[in-house]
Amino acid sequence: MAPPASLEQPERPLPGDPSLPEIPGTGVLREGDSGHGVYELQVRLLQIPQLYDGGAIDGRFGTEVRQAVARFQQRFGLRGDETGVYGDNTRHSLMLRTK
């Protein structure tokens, strides 16, 4: 016997469903990217001493941001993301260490 329609679970969208809006500050960020996610990354990088000291908060992922991400990855022994690329492992680690 099938459960009544009112008790059925609604279909959930699949992860990565293109119809869903991207949450600002998520997804892989790399040199050449821009926007809110890069702005948030820059703000967080400034909170870790000697990573991005004096770096711009302009929402553009340029060479300085790439180098700061690479320094962060090296300093904390991160693996799993390309060097200088802000992927899931780097994001998680940076978010744990900043506000």
Side-chain angles (χ1 to χ4, degrees):
M1 180 169 153
S6 63
L7 296 178
E8 288 181 17
Q9 292 287 335
E11 282 191 42
R12 291 185 176 174
L14 297 174
D17 185 338
S19 66
L20 297 176
E22 183 176 336
I23 298 168
T26 64
V28 174
L29 297 172
R30 57 178 32 95
E31 193 166 4
D33 289 343
S34 62
H36 179 79
V38 178
Y39 177 90
E40 180 181 315
L41 168 60
Q42 291 169 322
V43 167
R44 288 180 182 273
L45 287 172
L46 280 171
Q47 295 176 41
I48 307 286
Q50 300 173 346
L51 278 186
Y52 190 57
D53 295 342
I57 306 294
D58 59 6
R60 290 184 281 183
F61 198 128
T63 302
E64 286 184 45
V65 174
R66 180 181 50 77
Q67 291 171 344
V69 170
R71 280 191 291 274
F72 177 79
Q73 291 167 327
Q74 182 178 20
R75 184 179 297 175
F76 294 101
L78 298 177
R79 306 254 187 284
D81 295 327
E82 264 181 77
T83 300
V85 173
Y86 191 54
D88 290 338
N89 293 340
T90 305
R91 178 186 315 281
H92 179 74
S93 183
L94 184 61
M95 291 182 91
L96 288 175
R97 290 173 168 85
T98 59
K99 306 179 218 177

